[in-house]
Amino acid sequence: MTTTLISGANRSLGLETARRLIDAGHTVYAGMRDLASAAEVQNVGAHPVQLDVTDQRSIEAALAQLPELDVLVNNAGVLGRSFGVDDLDVDAMQEVFDTNVLGVVRLTQAALPLLRRSSNPVIVNVASGVGFARSLATPGTDEHFVRAVPYASSKAAVIALTLQYAKNLPEFRVNASDPGYTSTDFNGHSGHQTITEGTDATVMLAQLGADGPTGKFFNRAGNIDY
């Protein structure tokens, strides 16, 4: 049995990832900041665990509840409150990076001892095409219209983190996923993909074997060349 921890798993992409991995045979621990929102997680068969990726004590307490860990899905993320330059300040950057980037590092570092005991350790970092420079720079892409600085730069950092972790952990499979423009609360349900389509890459990467790719960036259509 594969044991998986997903951060930010109480709704949207995280909840759908939990549901699909449970259907695939995983035992899923669904991390969420507030256990009052655990009902839907329990309905899909996941084990709710209080987890705030901005709080080291919360992370350590959550991991202490896990008997083992094979797959870590760093899904928790925030959009932030700055959507251009006129409303941008350092505090807005810090708020987004604390969850989207430092949260990935906090949780991954704390989970490494458990993951190293696994015969097939896997890390999936949920990034975004909004953090991929080529997509941001290409007219006609979903990402090109985005002006938000904190979110885009935080997801670019997640892609870089993924590459560096893969180099440092050659015995792991460490990859990043791009959900694509998916209809979620995050974007007011304006995305053109379904929630299932938005989790295709993450679910695939969470099920990689020891001979699978590492240090790569995938969307539902396949590998995205850097």
Side-chain angles (χ1 to χ4, degrees), residues 19-82:
R19 184 192 68 77
R20 294 183 67 182
L21 289 177
I22 289 166
D23 286 349
H26 289 219
T27 297
V28 172
Y29 288 82
M32 63 196 71
R33 285 182 293 183
D34 185 359
L35 289 177
S37 61
E40 288 192 78
V41 161
Q42 291 170 319
N43 287 340
V44 302
H47 304 282
V49 58
Q50 197 280 326
L51 174 61
D52 180 348
V53 299
T54 69
D55 184 338
Q56 190 67 35
R57 290 183 181 179
S58 170
I59 289 170
E60 292 170 1
L63 289 170
Q65 299 177 51
L66 275 57
E68 57 192 9
L69 183 62
D70 302 293
V71 179
L72 172 63
V73 179
N74 284 304
N75 171 76
V78 297
L79 188 58
R81 57 180 174 82
S82 169

Side-chain angles (χ1 to χ4, degrees), residues 116-190:
R116 283 189 163 119
R117 297 176 201 164
S118 172
S119 60
N120 182 37
V122 171
I123 298 173
V124 184
N125 296 325
V126 180
S128 172
V130 175
F132 190 52
R134 187 188 308 150
S135 296
L136 283 173
T138 303
T141 64
D142 289 332
E143 295 81 12
H144 185 255
F145 77 93
V146 175
R147 296 289 185 268
V149 176
Y151 185 76
S153 55
S154 75
K155 290 303 184 177
V158 170
I159 295 170
L161 278 175
T162 301
L163 278 165
Q164 298 306 90
Y165 268 105
K167 291 179 190 175
N168 281 277
L169 299 167
E171 70 279 17
F172 284 49
R173 303 298 91 187
V174 186
N175 295 285
S177 64
D178 170 21
Y181 194 21
T182 301
S183 175
T184 67
D185 294 342
F186 223 51
N187 53 42
H189 295 277
S190 60

